[in-house]
Amino acid sequence: MRRNDGEGHPAMCEEQRNDEDASLGDDGVRNKDAPDTELGDGPSMLNETGAVNGPVVQAGAIYGGVQITSGPSSSSQSPTEDPWTSAKTIIELTGRDLGVHKSIDIESALLDGPPLYIPRSHDQDLQKALSGPFPCGRMVVLFGESATGKTRTAYEALHAVEQLRTWPVMRPTGPDHLLELLCAPAPPRHVLWLDDLYIDYLDTKKSVGIVDRLRLVLQRPSPFLVIADMWTSHWNELRRRQGGSTRASLAGKLFDEADVVEVRLPLGFAEVDPDELDRFTARDPRLALAHKTAGDGLPITQVLSGGPQLLDIHLETAHSQPVEHAVITATMDARRLGHLSPLPPEVLWAGVAGYLTDEQRLVGKKRFGKALKRATRKHRGIAALTPRPTTPGLRASADGYVLHDFLHQHAVQTRAAEPCPESLWNALVDHTSDVDDLERLAADAQRRGLYNLAARFAARAAALNSPEAMRLLAWLHDLRTAAGEADGWRARADSLDPSSWEGPPIFLEDLQESEDGLRERAERGDREAMRVLADDLMPTRAEEAVLWARRAADGGTSESMIFLARILRHAGYEDEKKQVLLSSAEAGNTGAMLQLDLDLTRRGEHEEALHWARAHAETGNPLGVSRLATVLQRRGDHTAAEELLRRHAEAGSTPVMWHLGQHLANTDRVEEAVTWFQRSAADDLLAVNLIVNKFQELHRLVEAEKPLRVQHDRGKWIATRKLVELLELLDRYDEAETLLRRLVEVSSHPTLGIHQSSAMEKLIEFLRGIGRTTEAERLRMYGIEPGGVTSQAFDLPSPLNDQR
């Protein structure tokens, strides 16, 4: 059930209440002697139900407000207590309180507090954005690589902007706490602090609710600030609306509609005046050491975090200390699989065997303990693994270990195409107890086709009343056409979490934004909204569409000028369109140059078209080079066309290499053409998509394998898919099957909803195509085991059994 927040927005907050409030009776209804709450005339009494067995059927005479929840409350606060009351101002908080990385230590110096902060150009932009009035909520997203100073930059900005020093700052403890805050009336002039926005909040099962509520909070007409940070790769994923995941589309809509300031942090300090940098380093020996260690690349903030140094040590231990190396690698893999809480030592003891040779595995617990101790050894105050107690009271040893963030980012970037050994999976099944970890591990195993493991994780999570795990078990039963069992699990899940449902999630309104919403954003100066509005208006209100397109182009960006030219063409303003393109092309806009070239060619004005084709090519743009070569070829100047293509291909332009190969193939110089096609595909994923068909056309199919292998070895999954296609065409089915099975096991891109991966579907189709229909059906129902072999039949838990 949805409640209304007083502004016409359904709040959808019920899933946040998980622990029963002390003032509720056994049946979930508030006790009669609980404190009264003033809610209007008549006896004042707040009636609330939190029972999971169903709604209240009869309640007699009820006066005042009624609040329905889908489960007991998770907060120790009473329902009437404001969850924002614990917020503190920025001057009361330290950087460590808000997630700033600990910096390296200098043993010879007595230093108090964090290293000196070195301002860069983005600091001024950020402070300017935070200094203006907030007519409604505003969101600031800082993005950059791990340990580039994102959180510290935000912390310093709040200190620097006078109006924000008195605003209370709230840092949620996790997605449930964040939703509790967003479901309460957000107080004006507060700051919501979301460090690691993607990892901690958007890459979770609560992401849809979080995005939904953030949109509503940011649209309220009162000053409110959300400040967040994330890795550049995550920001790019969320901004890549076309072809991205559903989560990316939903989060992208948040960023489009809200007043969002984007701040990108550079990796280094190359922009800082060297003399100014020297003045800072002279005052702080930690900065001096980081500057010296960083060298010309100047990733000073990363060196201050200790991350690169820890990575160097980890890479060096691969041969000298294999058990220590295996311990850290297993921790990296466990975290990327979804185990985010401190990793128990039992997981490491049982899991590292799969990373070692038979000889290396001959270690006792004493030697393993030494390896674990080395992995937690501090280097200038920073360790690869940090021991953490997870139970109360004094402890003789750690309950778990936390991986350094820089090493986690390294693992995400370098180990994405690496399957995890069976020993780690089994250790995680046996020793994971946190329900959120179990849910994430179950989902990751399912996406990788490891259905047996997914079922084992999900069974444990379902025993802890996880609706997500129950829905995964229902999906696994569906694969076996066990409709009764599947429906039973869904019914149990719905009784615990009726607001959730399977399939792509939706916002409170349709994803297609209304004209009123677009117009409101456009009036506030949002140029993207202006362009979308102009597009929508063009079919019926062309004059107004042109006005909005002109306003969007006031900024003079290449994209907006090309958009204006397109709208003008549709509206019939050909002369104005040409003038817009001419002025933009003369300013260096390559898109305008290309459009002029095409328009003039279409009108038969070939000399002027050639002028703009040459101007486009002279910018070095591969599209311009290829376009000019095509124009020259059509004019019969094949020598000039080839010279142009060779010059840019030999300079390293991979798209031009492909065009040169095509030119050579057309003139019967196939041997040289093959070489250029191969060079292009070895470095360009677009060429990877084309090379199999091209070499089949040239009857040189075998020679497509070399560049595809190069890209496959780099972990490029699109190359692996094309390599499988090639091997099938070459009748090398065993090799194709091996690659496909590996592809299934590493295909773990997060999705919303439970689906069979495209790699799994391809493997099933492959087996059917070569006549192994029985195994294909077994694969569809039971998936694979670690290592890629088809799983044998296994039992699934029944919803009728008491999983507790």
Side-chain angles (χ1 to χ4, degrees), residues 588-602:
N589 184 338
T590 56
M593 294 174 188
L594 176 60
Q595 193 60 54
L596 276 171
D597 171 15
L598 296 173
D599 287 353
L600 292 165
T601 299
R602 192 161 39 245

Side-chain angles (χ1 to χ4, degrees), residues 152-167:
R152 179 73 185 275
T153 295
Y155 177 76
E156 296 295 336
L158 291 192
H159 272 279
V161 178
E162 185 174 356
Q163 71 164 340
L164 298 179
R165 292 178 195 157
T166 58
W167 288 26

Side-chain angles (χ1 to χ4, degrees), residues 446-449 451 475 721 743-745 747-749 751 754-764:
Q446 181 273 327
R447 290 191 294 264
R448 296 171 187 270
Y451 298 159
W475 183 83
R721 290 177 181 273
L743 188 62
V744 170
E745 194 173 355
S747 296
S748 184
H749 188 72
T751 59
I754 307 171
H755 313 284
Q756 202 164 61
S757 72
S758 59
M760 175 65 84
E761 291 174 348
K762 172 64 178 173
L763 179 56
I764 293 170

Side-chain angles (χ1 to χ4, degrees), residues 530-543:
M530 295 176 192
R531 290 194 291 269
V532 175
L533 183 58
D535 250 342
D536 290 350
L537 293 172
M538 190 65 232
T540 56
R541 285 172 277 176
E543 292 295 330

Side-chain angles (χ1 to χ4, degrees), residues 210-228:
I210 287 171
V211 171
D212 227 3
R213 293 301 304 172
L214 274 174
R215 289 176 66 234
L216 299 180
V217 169
L218 290 170
Q219 290 168 1
R220 289 173 178 167
S222 62
F224 186 83
L225 175 63
V226 178
I227 194 159

Side-chain angles (χ1 to χ4, degrees), residues 171-352:
R171 183 192 183 198
T173 57
D176 288 319
H177 186 204
L178 173 57
L179 273 170
E180 181 184 6
L181 293 167
L182 294 174
C183 287
R189 294 177 179 82
H190 275 59
V191 179
L192 183 60
W193 187 278
L194 304 177
D195 53 313
D196 284 332
L197 173 64
Y198 183 91
I199 294 174
D200 290 346
Y201 302 106
L202 298 185
D203 192 27
T204 70
K205 63 181 181 293
K206 304 291 185 181
S207 61
V208 176
I210 287 171
V211 171
D212 227 3
R213 293 301 304 172
L214 274 174
R215 289 176 66 234
L216 299 180
V217 169
L218 290 170
Q219 290 168 1
R220 289 173 178 167
S222 62
F224 186 83
L225 175 63
V226 178
I227 194 159
D229 65 64
M230 66 178 76
W231 295 347
T232 300
S233 58
H234 293 150
W235 177 252
N236 292 339
E237 168 65 21
L238 294 178
R239 295 300 275 159
R240 189 171 60 245
R241 300 284 298 280
Q242 298 299 323
S245 65
T246 307
R247 178 179 288 116
S249 296
L250 300 182
K253 188 171 178 64
L254 163 68
F255 299 140
D256 290 344
E257 292 189 1
D259 181 4
V260 176
V261 178
E262 305 173 8
V263 180
R264 180 169 190 156
L265 272 69
L267 183 60
F269 285 71
E271 66 184 72
V272 179
D273 180 82
D275 293 336
E276 181 74 4
L277 194 56
D278 288 341
R279 282 191 287 272
F280 275 97
T281 57
R283 294 164 54 199
D284 192 322
R286 291 167 296 186
L287 284 176
L289 176 63
H291 188 196
K292 180 180 179 181
T293 305
D296 294 336
L298 299 179
I300 295 176
T301 55
Q302 289 191 338
V303 176
L304 279 172
S305 77
Q309 302 94 302
L310 293 175
L311 178 58
D312 289 343
I313 294 169
H314 171 64
L315 296 176
E316 290 171 1
T317 61
H319 300 293
S320 60
Q321 299 290 344
V323 181
E324 177 187 347
H325 186 271
V327 163
I328 295 176
T329 304
T331 310
M332 288 176 172
D333 282 348
R335 180 168 174 180
R336 70 185 177 93
L337 293 177
H339 195 295
L340 303 189
S341 62
L343 193 66
E346 294 82 4
V347 171
L348 293 172
W349 168 252
V352 297

